[in-house]
Amino acid sequence: MESKKTGSVVVIGGGISGMLSALDLANSGFYVYLVEKGPSIGGVMAQLDKTFPTNDCAM
Amino acid sequence: MEILKKPRYVREDRCIACGACTEKCPGKFDDGYNADLKTRTAIYVEYPQAVPLKYAINPDACLKLTKDKCGTCQEVCPADAIDYTMTEEKITIDTGSIILAPGFKPFDPSRFDNYQYAKFANVVTSMEFERLLSATGPTMGHVTTFPKLPAKPKKKKDKLLAEKRKDPKKIAWFQCVGSRDVNKCDNPYCSSVCCMYAVKEAIIAKEHAGKDLDCAIFFMDMRTPGKEFEKYYQNAKDKHGINFIRSRVHSVVEDSETGDLHIQYADEMGQIVRETYDMIVLSVGLEISAETRAFAEKFNIDLTESGFAKTGSFEPVTTSRDGIYVSGVFNNPKDIPESVLDASAAASAAGDALAEVRNTLTKEIPAVPETNVTGDRPAIGVFICDCGSNIAGVVDCPNVTEYAATLPYVTVAEETTYACSQDAQDKMVEIIKEKGLNRIVVAACTPKTHEPLFQETLKSAGLNKYLFEMTNIRNHNSWVHKNNPDIATEKAKDLVRMAVAKAGLAQPLKEEKIQVNASVMVVGGGLAGMVAARSLASQGYETHIIEKKDTLGGEALKLWKTAQGEDVQQHLSALIKEVQASDKIVVHTNTTLEGVDGFVGNFVSKLNTDGNTTELEHGIAVLATGAKALETTEYSLGQDDRIIPTLELDRMFKDNDPKLDQVQSALFIQCVGSREPERPYCSRVCCTHSVENAIALKEKNPDMDVFILYRDIRTYGERELLYKKAREKGVIFIRYEVTDKPQVKVEKDHVAVTVKDHVLNQPVTIQADLVTLATALVPRKDERLANFFKVPLNDEGFFVEKHAKLGPAEFATDGVFVAGSGHYPKPVNEAITQGRAAASRALTLLAKKDSLFTSGTIASVDVEKCSACGVCVSICPYNAPAFMTEGRFEGKADVNPVLCKGCGLCVASCRSGAIHLRGFDTNQIFSQIFALGETA
Amino acid sequence: MTEKNIKIVSFLCNWCSYGAADLAGVSRMEYPADIRVIRIPCSGRMSPKFILSALREGADAVWVSG
């Protein structure tokens, strides 16, 4: 790597995985851009009723 | 990189999510959130809890934007948030790393003519069924047939159909729709999640409908290889009475009268069975959309044939291109906890690559010095929010404001249109300063979302953020009593009076700074532990690896190849070298842990290295103690050297053992010690491992007879391709029942294995030269270690993580993390993912070194009153109270502010009334109760 | 209003029931206006004294939820 590194990360996709990547990075000292194609974050998990194997509410 | 920002047509800075716009909106389109089971208006919010909770307009459905008619939403919006002139924006970002987490698309079964999903009303997808079960779904959780009909049909045709609508009595799930299938679609992989979600949907459906509902799941292999999954599956069978039928249903015929569905299938004995169901749920797989593939092409990263990102087992979140990482289902089909692990692992990988520029772009908000208000007479400011018409439309806000001004200690009462808007906040700061307010009450929406915002406002006005009280006159009042404005106004007054009474007693609270020792102890020098240590070291933190053996590497030292065919020893020795060469990592071999004191940020551990005891101070701990193969004598293991465990076969491959050349007939027995009453879990790795070794034997000698005796083949994700390859190479798979296990007899020339063939329904005897037993993986079940860190173990001895879904790499004990097979058996790539994830989670704590504070709302002991009875010490779930061991008050209780979560259990339990919960103290709660007793 | 106004004091746990009451509002459900919510950090914070005191102050019922 010759060019100077930038202390920011772009995360593409605002589902459960993207959101948590973004949170971890932001909380450890990086500037994060979270990019989501829809009008809100949450992804497919927000559509689920319950989650296995604990039957917790997905929301 | 360049990002295209699509217009929302609603100004986020103005929208207050009141919903007035949707009431009159004439545009309609399919509600994707509800799996298109209903329609929604063109101006919409995806779901009530959406973040950001701001409306958006779908430009394809909006009449104003398509035909320049309408414009109603702009007229009715009380916040003037609608802007039809918004356009696309191009944003250019300079970035160090990129993480791709685009997710998946549920498989669309419309093209399967045999199930007629597109035509038959009662054939639904699992995603649609998920919405039918949901209380926020189109039927509010009530499962009915003809689910796509509107609740109140208007069209004549729909009305006729709606008469046939009923509560289903029989529902069937068809597994592997769009997965493990190359005939009807091109998805050879297993989607990994469908077996479990089908079981879940069946259980929940039965919970909703009661005992009368008959649920059947038609499957090929039941794949429940995750933590606590096998028990869930067994419970579904035994406790919930769900039928599991091993059969692939060929086709579905609809009864044109009733809409019922007739099916025909061959049962396990080959008998044709005919049945009728009210509803059929297609368990659709996870698919990478064409859009995502095209997007991957833009990034120029390699994909597998099925469109998933190509990653290696040793760098499981790193794509083929430098600086681009991947996480979630795009990185192979996976469930939520695995996606969560991927997320943290990707953050760790992206962060490691940018370690030297960490903290260069983040910004700190300058703090305003705090005014000392101790001893001052309360001067309360009350701010009543109209929330546009959301509150003011029901509650008489001017009246409430007037009333608030008459309450004791109230200096100022103000009505504001939107208390949360920036200008209102600025004004609040101004008023606080001007009038010298020292307590603030906001009557608006919910403190759960808005309390932090107002607390920041207090801080910027120089007030301690705990001098604040919020009361909810919207969600708990105007929104739920909209037809009773008078009563709602009275209620608002009551709520304001209660809040003012409590605020008068508010004290400035201190948040104690938590000192974080910036070094880390990793227990276990296997793959997961080493990966966690390497990542933390690369971020500059001193890391100690505690390994009880004399070498690093753990169980991975015994492995030959990964599921992707990589040489384990080659990669492992490179990793060991890297760890040993790091000047930030201290490796303690031949070392055991003898004791741990302290708490997050401040642990002191006693280490024993060859009899010498030393102390190690560390802020964080990672437990990566791993698992090992079960030692058993089942199937004559240990009695004959032709009967070996899996790891011995790996050793033979690694060492190129000449004995392998002699083998003419090899046989594998799966589930040796797994999925049995004694060990009711699936060991997850064995199916893939045996299939992979079977292929290697076939490749070595194509004439060799290779058999695998199994219960369910669980080659999840793209591991399924190995299963397919093994069958193509002529490996013979014979299924057995746990109630009728294979019999192994050692004979002179061979080992005779007798098993009942599931196709012939006859016992067959196979003469094998080599029998490999896929022995279970068992945890080390270190109760002492668990006690040291106060972390729980499950019945089988695996560590119990903080949260099965959202906290898979950490414990409920702050500052302690988990990785590797000690958590649950896992293959190389997953152990490494979890190692990275644990490092990433740990880093979020370490990075806050100077800004980690306890909460202000915690318990504290009045030592004068404490009778040292010990109730608080024994009752606290977080071990926060303890007896003081020295000083004037020795023997009395003291609450550790770092461990206290502020639940108040000890406060309520204290017999002497010696414990106070700051922010929710007894006198404050009483003041609310007393205030209620008064009348406005 | 001919009926007597009744008052129910509800102690709601911040993490579950309080949020549920918020959601009832978001979902625009309607229910009688007799409830006055006191937010507590956890139902473990509840003390019998709060219940007795609420009744003494004229509450017709006390509801603890968490």
Side-chain angles (χ1 to χ4, degrees), chain A residues 5 17 24 40 50 52 55, chain B residues 46 232 327 344 353 805 841:
Chain A
K5 288 185 181 179
S17 190
D24 270 11
S40 46
K50 303 274 161 46
F52 59 76
N55 291 354
Chain B
E46 279 195 295
Y232 192 75
S327 109
S344 289
K805 294 275 142 189
R841 301 299 301 143

Side-chain angles (χ1 to χ4, degrees), chain B residues 558 641 644-653 657 659:
Chain B
K558 300 175 189 161
D641 58 10
I644 58 169
T646 302
L647 289 175
E648 173 60 14
L649 181 60
D650 270 35
R651 187 205 56 76
M652 290 166 87
F653 274 121
D657 196 318
K659 268 195 242 161

Side-chain angles (χ1 to χ4, degrees), chain B residues 4 63 93 97 221 299 469 475 495 544 604 709 722 731:
Chain B
L4 188 66
L63 295 181
I93 295 174
S97 295
D221 290 281
F299 284 99
E469 189 58 34
N475 301 43
L495 291 172
H544 295 259
V604 182
L709 312 189
L722 285 175
V731 175

Side-chain angles (χ1 to χ4, degrees), chain B residues 832-896:
Chain B
I832 291 177
T833 297
Q834 202 177 13
R836 270 205 178 282
S840 174
R841 301 299 301 143
L843 186 61
T844 62
L845 266 182
L846 291 165
K848 286 201 203 114
K849 195 174 172 304
D850 298 314
S851 54
L852 198 59
F853 292 93
T854 65
S855 164
T857 50
I858 51 171
S860 67
V861 180
D862 179 348
V863 282
E864 303 286 348
K865 285 190 187 160
C866 176
S867 63
C869 69
V871 167
C872 56
V873 178
S874 60
I875 207 168
C876 178
Y878 308 101
N879 299 303
F883 292 117
M884 284 186 259
T885 51
E886 55 189 12
R888 225 176 107 204
F889 298 106
E890 190 182 335
K892 304 248 175 174
D894 185 30
V895 176
N896 183 332

Side-chain angles (χ1 to χ4, degrees), chain B residues 205-250:
Chain B
K206 277 189 86 113
E207 276 178 8
H208 284 211
K211 285 211 166 71
D212 294 346
L213 180 65
D214 180 353
C215 294
I217 297 178
F218 290 84
F219 68 100
M220 300 203 285
D221 290 281
M222 207 56 206
R223 295 192 166 169
T224 53
K227 192 171 186 177
E228 305 292 330
F229 289 7
E230 186 70 17
K231 284 184 229 168
Y232 192 75
Y233 165 40
Q234 294 304 334
N235 272 342
K237 260 197 285 197
D238 304 338
K239 286 201 186 140
H240 299 277
I242 289 157
N243 300 315
F244 287 86
I245 302 165
R246 198 183 291 266
S247 182
R248 193 113 159 122
V249 181
H250 174 263

Side-chain angles (χ1 to χ4, degrees), chain B residues 127-158:
Chain B
M127 203 64 215
E128 289 167 337
F129 198 75
E130 199 73 44
R131 296 311 304 152
L132 292 179
L133 287 174
S134 172
T136 61
T139 59
M140 294 166 93
H142 184 89
V143 179
T144 103
T145 58
F146 297 93
K148 278 176 220 176
L149 286 182
K152 287 181 192 129
K154 287 188 191 123
K155 288 183 201 148
K156 201 178 165 201
K157 198 179 115 218
D158 288 352

